[in-house]
Amino acid sequence: MAEKQNSIFDPLNYLIDSFWASLPEEAANDLATFKKDVLTGVKNVVDGLVEQEIKWTDRHLDNARKMREQYQREAQTKEPAAESAAS
């Protein structure tokens, strides 16, 4: 079985655990629920922003592909006209 590893965060974790232990149990539960709800809300907002940015990136890539195809078609159309004028 793995031993508990000591780290620099052990004193910090002890301090945080002491804070939670100093609160009445109901207050600690209410505060923890509030904290988790806020963090979940932030996570949902960030997830939504990331998803939207992914969609926009895909849209920009698709538009860029269409622009390249259009420029290639236009360049191919102009090439024969330039060759005819040179003859």
Side-chain angles (χ1 to χ4, degrees):
M1 185 175 239
E3 291 183 31
K4 181 181 176 190
Q5 294 182 357
N6 289 333
S7 74
I8 194 166
F9 296 108
D10 286 345
L12 180 60
N13 284 328
Y14 183 80
L15 180 64
I16 294 169
D17 292 344
S18 298
F19 164 75
W20 286 98
S22 70
L23 297 173
E25 188 168 355
E26 187 176 337
N29 288 335
D30 290 345
L31 182 59
T33 298
F34 174 75
K35 180 181 177 180
K36 290 187 272 185
D37 289 346
V38 168
L39 290 173
T40 300
V42 169
K43 180 181 177 247
N44 291 339
V45 167
V46 170
D47 286 347
L49 291 173
V50 168
E51 287 297 320
Q52 188 63 34
E53 191 61 32
I54 289 170
K55 288 178 188 175
W56 277 103
T57 300
D58 289 341
R59 181 174 177 242
H60 292 306
L61 285 173
D62 189 45
N63 288 341
R65 180 186 52 77
K66 290 175 184 175
M67 289 172 75
R68 281 191 297 273
E69 290 172 354
Q70 179 182 355
Y71 294 146
Q72 288 172 354
R73 280 193 306 270
E74 289 174 3
Q76 289 171 356
T77 304
K78 290 179 183 178
E79 280 179 18
E83 290 174 6
S84 297
S87 304

